[in-house]
Amino acid sequence: MIDINSTPIASLLAEGISYTNMQMYVVIMIALVIIMTVLDLLHKKSSIYFFSASAKAEKDLFAGNAPCSLGKEEDRLKILSVADKVNILASTVVVDVSTAGEFSNGLRRLVHILTMWGFIFFNVATIIIIFGAQETQILAQVWNIGAIMLFIGTFWYWFGFKVDSQVEGYSWTRVVIRRDMFSLSLMATSVSALGWNIYGGGTGIWFILVLLATISLFGGVYWSKFSHMFFKPIAAYNKRIIKANGTNENLPHETRNDVWQQNRHSMELLKDAPMDMGLGIKREAPKHY
């Protein structure tokens, strides 16, 4: 049974592992995340894309010309003030990051929130306990609740929302290491951490499993989806910025209910159609493999 008011971390002291050793391990894991994330960004050229896109948008904005392949051009551009950018940043943090606003499916959003906040609670509590060289009841509760949330979120995702199982019809037992490494490492971390607590801590098999799971999670960033946790907030902020300043990456701004759009020749058949035309392909669950 899980003792939610304590963690197994303190039990390591009795086994001869000092806080200094634990701190060194945490520093190594953090360094691996940073190094691997930078390598991943360089490999995928994500950083180059964002820098070049941002520079191009600023150039178009101050030149008063944001070429668009389709749509009205006049009065689209707006030079954002510092206050505008702060508001956009706040919206990004509150909506897109903290509450996973990009998910329209409520259950999928809940799964993401459980996983994300469980991961944050678990790791932040671990770092505070190790570097503070003490454990309080509140920190222990945060550590255990985080591990439980991570367990629920990761397993719910694997059995309920895994894309190749839900859409492509593959069994949930089908594993592709590079694609599934992040999910499997998170699952292993939550299971091993909870098992470590249930069986009294120490440096036994459950502690070894915790080490293997966390090394896989933090050391495998380059080969997993870990770095997208840093990439997605930047992408969300950039999306809001280019929409607010009018540059919009050369994409049209008007939606189907815009008068200018409705009067286009290609929109003739949809001109008087209602904006909500039903579920469409979402009427039934995807099962056409």
Side-chain angles (χ1 to χ4, degrees):
M1 188 175 189
I2 299 173
D3 182 1
I4 201 168
N5 294 314
S6 67
T7 74
I9 295 175
S11 68
L12 296 178
L13 295 173
E15 302 285 342
I17 298 179
S18 67
Y19 275 111
T20 301
N21 296 134
M22 296 183 221
Q23 291 167 2
M24 186 179 300
Y25 181 79
V26 171
V27 169
I28 291 172
M29 293 301 105
I30 293 174
L32 281 174
V33 171
I34 295 172
I35 294 170
M36 293 288 189
T37 299
V38 171
L39 289 176
D40 187 48
L41 289 174
L42 292 175
H43 171 67
K44 294 176 180 175
K45 302 189 186 304
S46 302
S47 56
I48 296 174
Y49 166 77
F50 276 113
F51 280 124
S52 60
S54 177
K56 183 179 182 300
E58 287 293 316
K59 181 180 178 181
D60 290 340
L61 186 62
F62 285 103
N65 174 36
C68 181
S69 58
L70 179 67
K72 294 186 296 183
E73 301 294 328
E74 60 271 15
D75 301 323
R76 295 190 336 145
L77 302 181
K78 176 186 177 182
I79 296 178
L80 302 178
S81 65
V82 173
D84 291 329
K85 293 181 179 179
V86 169
N87 287 333
I88 291 172
L89 179 61
S91 298
T92 303
V93 171
V94 173
V95 178
D96 298 301
V97 179
S98 301
T99 58
E102 74 271 24
F103 293 107
S104 57
N105 184 312
L107 288 178
R108 178 68 183 89
R109 188 175 184 178
L110 177 59
V111 168
H112 185 86
I113 290 172
L114 284 170
T115 303
M116 178 184 69
W117 283 108
F119 178 82
I120 292 172
F121 290 159
F122 174 75
N123 284 283
V124 169
T126 299
I127 291 172
I128 293 175
I129 291 170
I130 291 175
F131 282 87
Q134 62 180 339
E135 178 182 307
T136 65
Q137 184 175 328
I138 292 177
L139 283 174
Q141 290 174 346
V142 171
W143 190 92
N144 283 287
I145 290 171
I148 293 170
M149 288 174 64
L150 186 61
F151 175 85
I152 295 172
T154 53
F155 277 83
W156 192 356
Y157 165 76
W158 187 268
F159 291 106
F161 292 95
K162 193 164 177 281
V163 172
D164 63 337
S165 297
Q166 293 299 306
V167 179
E168 299 171 17
Y170 290 108
S171 169
W172 59 267
T173 58
R174 179 176 182 261
V175 173
V176 179
I177 294 298
R178 291 190 65 173
R179 184 194 62 209
D180 299 324
M181 184 177 182
F182 183 48
S183 295
L184 291 173
S185 297
L186 285 172
M187 293 164 72
T189 298
S190 66
V191 170
S192 58
L194 292 173
W196 188 33
N197 193 4
I198 291 171
Y199 289 97
T203 56
I205 184 62
W206 284 103
F207 177 64
I208 294 173
L209 291 176
V210 169
L211 292 179
L212 291 175
T214 51
I215 289 172
S216 171
L217 177 61
F218 299 119
V221 172
Y222 183 79
W223 301 277
S224 76
K225 290 178 62 179
F226 192 108
S227 60
H228 89 297
M229 293 194 300
F230 309 109
F231 172 82
K232 288 183 70 175
I234 298 173
Y237 175 73
N238 182 65
K239 182 178 179 180
R240 287 176 178 271
I241 286 289
I242 62 175
K243 182 177 180 180
N245 67 18
T247 53
N248 209 37
E249 289 192 331
N250 198 35
L251 296 174
H253 284 235
E254 296 74 24
T255 58
R256 191 164 61 82
N257 62 340
D258 183 86
V259 175
W260 186 90
Q261 280 279 42
Q262 289 179 342
N263 289 326
R264 288 175 52 224
H265 174 70
S266 60
M267 292 289 289
E268 184 176 352
L269 296 177
L270 292 173
K271 183 174 182 178
D272 298 318
M275 289 299 294
D276 184 0
M277 294 191 288
L279 295 173
I281 62 173
K282 293 184 178 180
R283 192 174 301 278
E284 57 178 312
K287 56 186 178 182
H288 309 295
Y289 319 124

